[in-house]
Amino acid sequence: MGRQPSQEIRPSVPQESIGFTHSLGERVRRMVFGGDLGEDILVHRPFDVHVGIDGSIYVTNGMQGSVMRFHPERRDAERMTPTGAGVLVKPMGLSGDDQGLLYVADPVQRRVVALTAQGDFVRAYGGQGVLLNPVDVAVSAAGDRIYVADSYLHQVVVFAGDGTLLRRIG
């Protein structure tokens, strides 16, 4: 039998690369003798990954409306959950430009959101009536062209950096 999609998959190998080494033995030891375990970093339904210009590793966290940012040198991670105009419902595709901006495809909201490396909203591309199901995004290094794969339209939709719709391919 296969694993149910809603089941959480936990790695069987300690995550030394980001500093999380809480084995069962460590958890029991800390429960008996005290000590803080810290917060586990879990990614539910990862869809895409991007390495930022600073070496941070970003992963879309589809079930939690967030993007995980892993800092390999600091050996830690954080969950970026944009609010307000930048809120994410189901982040899927992920890309970035040479200025450090992240671009996240959100099919539920029918748009791509540009965020700073800290998760602050910059701009949105598409929206109702322009995109139907944006599932992935690619960005030119300069950030002047945003290419959005829309699986329902069977098209790649091209935007200028300022959000202007340039053309549809397909």
Side-chain angles (χ1 to χ4, degrees):
M1 279 200 212
R3 186 181 290 273
Q4 296 296 324
S6 63
Q7 287 181 320
E8 187 175 297
I9 300 172
R10 290 185 177 253
S12 59
V13 178
Q15 301 297 302
E16 291 97 0
S17 63
I18 59 171
F20 297 99
T21 59
H22 306 309
S23 67
L24 177 60
E26 178 69 7
R27 290 176 189 270
V28 171
R29 185 189 69 74
R30 288 189 179 192
M31 185 172 57
V32 172
F33 297 108
D36 181 25
L37 286 175
E39 181 183 344
D40 281 340
I41 300 297
L42 302 175
V43 179
H44 298 273
R45 294 269 172 115
F47 284 102
D48 208 352
V49 62
H50 171 73
V51 178
I53 59 173
D54 66 348
S56 294
I57 301 166
Y58 298 89
V59 179
T60 52
N61 201 355
M63 292 295 289
Q64 296 180 335
S66 63
V67 176
M68 300 302 298
R69 181 180 185 183
F70 296 91
H71 307 275
E73 289 186 16
R74 291 188 348 214
R75 299 171 53 102
D76 68 357
E78 63 187 306
R79 177 177 292 119
M80 298 182 337
T81 308
T83 58
V87 71
L88 299 169
V89 177
K90 185 180 179 184
M92 288 185 72
L94 180 64
S95 189
D97 63 23
D98 284 352
Q99 288 73 45
L101 293 180
L102 299 173
Y103 298 79
V104 184
D106 188 340
V108 173
Q109 297 192 80
R110 299 181 178 178
R111 66 184 186 157
V112 169
V113 177
L115 305 169
T116 65
Q118 293 72 39
D120 298 321
F121 176 77
V122 175
R123 175 177 294 110
Y125 301 87
Q128 191 83 20
V130 179
L131 297 171
L132 283 178
N133 194 45
V135 294
D136 207 357
V137 60
V139 181
S140 65
D144 58 347
R145 294 290 183 271
I146 293 81
Y147 302 88
V148 182
D150 191 309
S151 67
Y152 288 176
L153 293 174
H154 306 283
Q155 296 178 337
V156 173
V157 182
V158 184
F159 295 93
D162 66 1
T164 304
L165 175 63
L166 297 177
R167 69 181 160 276
R168 296 172 182 273
I169 303 168

